[in-house]
Amino acid sequence: MAKWAELEAVLSQVAPFFLTASQAPAENGSSWIGVAAVEDPGGVPNYMMKSVWWVMWLTVVEYLALWLQGARLPVLHDNVVSLLHATLFEVTKVFVRGLEYGTYTWVWQHYALLPSLGNSLLAMVTLVTVIDLIYYWLHRANHEIMVLWAIHQVHHSSQNLTVTVGLRHSPLQRLFSWVFYVPLAVLGVHPAHMLAHAQFNTIFQCWIHTHAIRTIGPLQYVFNSPAHHRVHHGSNLYCLDKNYGGILILWDRLFGTFQEELPDQEIVYGILTQPDSYNPLYHQVFYLKLAMEKAWAMGSWREGLCSLVKGPSWTPGSPWTGWDKDKPNISVSREYRRVRATTLTHCYVILHFLAALTLTGHLTAPTSGSPMEAFVYGTVVVAGLAAMGMVYDGSPYTRLVELTRCSSGLLLCLLLPSPVSSFLPYLATLYALSLPLWCLGPATVLGHPGYNNLNAATCKK
């Protein structure tokens, strides 16, 4: 028993994701969750927010590993866009303020049938396993229900597979993903346990989004791996609707969705209909339009409804996920539009992204500021993330948008005190330095001739 206690003590140091309610730091004032509960799950730190910073460093390691292997390096702007999505996913917590966890907490308080599992090693392993099983079915639903796929496709829209893609999620998933975890509340799983383990499940998956690791040996029979997940992200016919597991690959082997990586076939990444923009806000909604167009084109309202609740490839008379013979057999790399960006362009985007990420970190930390202040500065972050995508797009409206955004942001920093006041001088300085760049002319400063994306180069992946 003493050895078990020692092992649990070590785990509590190296795996802070396994916090219990009694161990959770006192962060109940956090503006990012705000659940009204006797024991607030907001006491669990926002590991997802912290992971964005760590993934940035992990990206550097990934580039170095690929370079040493002589492999093709991912394009920089695609990694930046993935990080824009990650920040957008996190800042939206300021707006929902715990709505997705409020229902869970209420069900747990009123309808829990079993006592809490506690903080033993067995409880930890049990929760990791059960939450990963729930994630499997959530993930599978995201791929096999058209209206959910129209949201989840954000995660698959990158044509490179890098560790940053592991955090490339749509905030619209908050509208439905929590439903899959509510049964845990009925089983008595404490909200803090659920929230910590759900974050751990997502963060674990970052490292499997890479080409730098070819295999993990015999462990691949039990655990998800980069080789398994490369298949999941592939657009090749043999890759579709495969390998949904998060931490464990056992679920795919058990439920018939497992597929080994075929070393003799190049895997093609991205989705069949790629978004023609790097704007993260556009990414969230463009596929919903395609889904509605497909439903509208059906012969009856019943078939139209079926096209929304069945698989993206479903057609009348076919199985739930459609016939394989009707799906495109993509086996060679597709062309995609690379931005015509100079080093200064990347520096500008990255600086404003880091400002948005830092501001998000302040907003999602414990604060005494008012909800209105958090809302206003959360909107500033969202506007900044969208603008960074427009810079990479080379939109003809970028100059006007940036002049408006930077001047408005500068006035806001000077006139409206906020809970992030310690960061405002740096943000105001960035806005003040950015304004002359756009006044002098973006074509000269940022290297987008005429800011017309119709002239952007198209190149092979």
Side-chain angles (χ1 to χ4, degrees):
M1 293 299 294
K3 292 184 177 180
W4 279 99
E6 292 176 4
L7 180 58
E8 291 173 9
V10 172
L11 284 173
S12 68
Q13 297 296 319
V14 301
F17 307 103
F18 301 130
L19 289 172
T20 64
S22 60
Q23 295 170 313
E27 298 186 6
N28 294 349
S30 173
S31 67
W32 70 279
I33 188 157
V35 176
V38 176
E39 294 176 287
D40 188 352
V44 177
N46 188 354
Y47 293 113
M48 289 293 296
M49 183 69 239
K50 297 176 181 179
S51 71
V52 179
W53 293 100
W54 284 106
V55 166
M56 291 171 59
W57 289 109
L58 191 58
T59 302
V60 176
V61 175
E62 181 183 38
Y63 269 101
L64 179 60
L66 291 171
W67 178 73
L68 292 175
Q69 295 171 13
R72 182 175 52 202
L73 299 181
V75 293
L76 177 60
H77 71 271
D78 199 64
N79 270 322
V80 175
V81 170
S82 291
L83 292 171
L84 295 181
H85 281 291
T87 308
L88 181 63
F89 183 78
E90 289 306 307
V91 77
T92 53
K93 292 176 179 176
V94 172
F95 300 98
V96 297
R97 290 188 177 276
L99 176 63
E100 56 188 322
Y101 301 115
T103 303
Y104 184 98
T105 302
W106 183 84
V107 173
W108 174 76
Q109 288 178 326
H110 296 89
Y111 297 103
L113 300 178
L114 301 174
S116 175
L117 290 173
N119 62 344
S120 67
L121 177 62
L122 179 60
M124 294 178 185
V125 174
T126 300
L127 279 177
V128 167
T129 304
V130 172
I131 285 183
D132 196 58
L133 175 60
I134 291 175
Y135 175 82
Y136 169 87
W137 286 108
L138 167 61
H139 196 185
R140 186 167 178 173
N142 282 335
H143 281 257
E144 298 184 6
I145 298 177
M146 177 60 153
V147 70
L148 301 188
W149 167 250
I151 296 172
H152 181 67
Q153 53 77 28
V154 170
H155 182 66
H156 287 259
S157 60
S158 172
Q159 290 184 259
N160 294 277
L161 190 66
T162 62
V163 291
T164 60
V165 175
L167 296 177
R168 185 176 181 138
H169 300 293
S170 170
L172 295 177
Q173 290 183 180
R174 302 188 189 283
L175 298 176
F176 61 87
S177 59
W178 59 270
V179 176
F180 286 78
Y181 294 95
V182 167
L184 290 178
V186 179
L187 295 177
V189 176
H190 192 285
H193 290 176
M194 183 279 295
L195 181 57
H197 282 268
Q199 290 185 83
F200 168 72
N201 188 282
T202 301
I203 294 170
F204 172 89
Q205 297 180 52
C206 288
W207 76 278
I208 63 177
H209 293 79
T210 187
H211 274 270
I213 302 173
R214 302 309 306 176
T215 179
I216 60 172
L219 291 176
Q220 290 190 168
Y221 188 81
V222 176
F223 294 100
N224 203 356
S225 72
H228 298 330
H229 212 62
R230 285 192 289 268
V231 171
H232 174 73
H233 273 262
S235 293
N236 311 58
L237 183 58
Y238 88 92
C239 297
L240 300 180
D241 304 323
K242 302 297 181 182
N243 299 359
Y244 295 119
I247 296 176
L248 303 173
I249 202 66
L250 292 176
W251 313 123
D252 291 282
R253 297 183 186 276
L254 179 63
F255 298 116
T257 54
F258 176 72
Q259 173 62 54
E260 289 277 7
E261 184 179 32
L262 302 181
D264 59 334
Q265 290 194 29
E266 178 186 6
I267 295 181
V268 182
Y269 301 110
I271 57 181
L272 298 182
T273 305
Q274 284 293 129
D276 189 26
S277 173
Y278 297 110
N279 186 333
L281 295 185
Y282 175 79
H283 280 209
Q284 312 305 315
V285 298
F286 92 99
Y287 209 100
L288 289 169
K289 178 176 179 290
L290 298 177
M292 295 307 298
E293 288 175 349
K294 178 182 177 180
W296 187 260
M298 290 292 168
S300 67
W301 69 267
R302 186 183 300 274
E303 290 179 348
L305 181 61
C306 287
S307 73
L308 294 177
V309 300
K310 293 189 177 183
S313 298
W314 177 85
T315 56
S318 73
W320 188 282
T321 57
W323 300 108
D324 283 349
K325 63 182 178 63
D326 295 331
K327 301 174 184 177
N329 187 14
I330 299 175
S331 57
V332 294
S333 295
R334 296 172 289 180
E335 292 184 347
Y336 75 104
R337 182 167 58 89
R338 188 192 298 268
V339 298
R340 180 177 293 174
T342 66
T343 301
L344 186 56
T345 308
H346 289 305
C347 288
Y348 180 88
V349 170
I350 291 173
L351 279 174
H352 278 267
F353 157 70
L354 291 175
L357 181 60
T358 304
L359 186 53
T360 301
H362 281 278
L363 292 172
T364 59
T367 175
S368 58
S370 69
M372 180 55 68
E373 291 169 345
F375 179 86
V376 169
Y377 281 96
T379 303
V380 168
V381 172
V382 172
L385 298 175
M388 295 308 96
M390 292 183 67
V391 170
Y392 276 146
D393 281 342
S395 167
Y397 302 104
T398 304
R399 185 180 189 182
L400 177 61
V401 168
E402 281 298 87
L403 283 171
T404 303
R405 184 181 71 90
C406 292
S407 57
S408 300
L410 180 59
L411 288 174
L412 183 64
C413 292
L414 296 176
L415 299 178
L416 181 63
S418 80
V420 296
S421 56
S422 61
F423 178 65
L424 291 190
Y426 303 99
L427 186 61
T429 301
L430 180 62
Y431 287 146
L433 294 177
S434 298
L435 281 171
L437 297 179
W438 296 102
C439 292
L440 291 173
T444 302
V445 179
L446 297 180
H448 288 288
Y451 258 68
N452 189 339
N453 64 355
L454 296 178
N455 297 322
T458 299
C459 58
K460 290 284 187 178
K461 181 180 175 183

